[in-house]
């Protein structure tokens, strides 16, 4: 068996195009241009690249965006003041604080300071709670993107056994709660397997859909999969590779070669789930700008 590739590029482009059209409609009918504020503390190169990429996407689809950069020694109070300023700014509908933050800043206090109606990352406790009980909310971008990939690639999770490998607050837990809901594009029989399991393969071999988000390069192999399953690889791991100019390369949490011989469909790394995160951020920003989600 040779797995069909679930390519994130066309799916993410379609979602960004939808967000662009929704933004144009908001401007035409209500005079609203979706606005997104980025807060970057420190000089982490990867974070700087992510923020630039998100700002570029905003410009491409007609959003207003503002980026505030602060040095690594910026105090927590200064960051909270900046968030308060954006909370009160009617031209800003979404606030994204780029993580990780310097160690002297409490990330949870930062998340809680953001107006939950502008929490386009979907991390605020109010949004987490609403997600769990199935109420409308801004959902975390990567988990929401995973659901879109499944639906748009013809792998609807409804009624299927989904095993999520990893229990982080960023991916594992929210994707579980998204796919458990009794809604179209969800309604899955969902299981979380994690490092506490004595034999993770016992669970993954029973899965119709495996979502790998454990943060271990090449952890899921073909021998751990049920023939004909769908594999969503969330992992982004940089490993040494002397054949590359940079000396490293990026691989996922799934050993792609062996997994693609067993699975019916699989996402690549890079080029899969990672592309969905920014696309869903744009969708969340349009939703926040519409003002209808919590009405």
């Amino acid at each position: 068996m040779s797995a069909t590739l679930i390519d994130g590029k066309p799916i993410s482009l379609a979602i960004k195009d939808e967000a662009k059209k929704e933004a144009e409609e908001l401007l035409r009918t209500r005079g609203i241009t979706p606005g997104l504020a980025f807060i970057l503390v420190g000089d982490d190169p990867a974070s700087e690249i992510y923020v630039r990429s998100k700002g570029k996407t905003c410009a491409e689809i007609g959003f207003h965006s503002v980026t505030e950069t602060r040095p690594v020694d910026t105090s927590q109070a200064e960051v909270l003041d900046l968030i308060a300023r954006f909370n009160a700014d009617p031209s800003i509908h979404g606030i994204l604080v780029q993580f990780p933050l310097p160690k002297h800043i409490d990330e949870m206090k930062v998340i809680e300071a953001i107006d939950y109606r502008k929490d386009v990352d979907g991390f605020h406790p109010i949004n987490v709670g609403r997600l769990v009980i199935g109420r409308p909310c801004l959902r975390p971008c990567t988990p929401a993107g995973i659901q879109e990939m499944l639906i748009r690639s013809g792998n609807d999770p409804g009624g299927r056994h989904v095993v999520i490998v990893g229990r982080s607050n960023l991916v594992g837990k929210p994707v579980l709660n998204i796919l458990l809901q009794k809604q179209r594009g969800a309604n899955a029989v969902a299981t979380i397997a994690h490092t506490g399991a004595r034999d993770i393969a016992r669970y993954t071999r029973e899965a119709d859909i495996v979502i790998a988000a454990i943060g271990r390069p090449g952890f899921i192999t073909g021998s751990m999969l049920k023939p004909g399953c769908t594999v969503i690889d969330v992992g982004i791991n940089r490993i040494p590779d002397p054949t590359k100019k940079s000396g490293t390369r990026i691989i996922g949490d799934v050993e792609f070669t062996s997994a693609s011989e067993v699975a019916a469909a699989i996402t690549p790394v890079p080029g899969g789930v990672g592309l969905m995160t920014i696309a869903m951020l744009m969708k969340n920003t349009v939703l926040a700008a519409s003002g209808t989600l919590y009405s």
Side-chain angles (χ1 to χ4, degrees), residues 135-219:
R135 297 291 294 157
C137 63
L138 292 166
R139 304 180 302 164
C141 299
T142 300
I146 290 167
Q147 182 186 34
E148 289 295 329
M149 290 192 91
L150 288 170
I151 295 168
R152 296 181 190 230
S153 64
N155 292 283
D156 192 311
R160 302 176 75 189
H161 185 199
V162 179
V163 172
I164 303 148
V165 185
R167 54 180 166 180
S168 73
N169 290 332
L170 301 181
V171 179
K173 291 175 186 175
V175 82
L176 172 75
N177 283 301
I178 286 172
L179 296 181
L180 278 177
Q181 301 304 321
K182 194 173 182 180
Q183 298 169 353
R184 179 185 170 276
N187 208 30
V189 179
T191 300
I192 280 195
H194 49 72
T195 52
R198 294 180 180 177
D199 182 11
I200 288 179
R202 170 190 166 192
Y203 302 97
T204 55
R205 289 193 192 106
E206 297 176 353
D208 301 310
I209 299 170
V210 173
I211 300 172
I214 198 169
R216 295 187 181 181
F219 180 81

Side-chain angles (χ1 to χ4, degrees), residues 32-39 64-68 80-96 113-115 117-120 285 288-289:
I32 295 173
T33 297
L36 189 52
F38 301 104
I39 299 173
H64 162 61
S65 72
V66 177
T67 301
E68 292 282 353
L80 297 180
D81 285 346
L82 196 53
I83 291 170
R85 191 183 96 196
F86 286 130
N87 280 342
D89 186 342
S91 73
I92 296 297
H93 306 98
I95 302 170
L96 188 148
I114 298 171
D115 183 333
R117 295 163 296 185
K118 297 188 178 187
D119 168 38
V120 286
T285 304

Side-chain angles (χ1 to χ4, degrees), residues 39-41 68 70-71 73-89 95-97 99 101-102 104-115 124:
I39 299 173
L40 176 62
V41 183
E68 292 282 353
R70 295 291 186 273
D73 60 354
T74 298
S75 71
Q76 178 170 293
E78 289 176 88
V79 175
L80 297 180
D81 285 346
L82 196 53
I83 291 170
R85 191 183 96 196
F86 286 130
N87 280 342
D89 186 342
I95 302 170
L96 188 148
V97 180
F99 294 143
L101 289 167
H104 66 276
I105 298 176
D106 186 330
E107 291 188 353
M108 199 64 232
K109 287 189 182 301
V110 167
I111 290 168
E112 291 174 342
I114 298 171
D115 183 333
H124 193 284

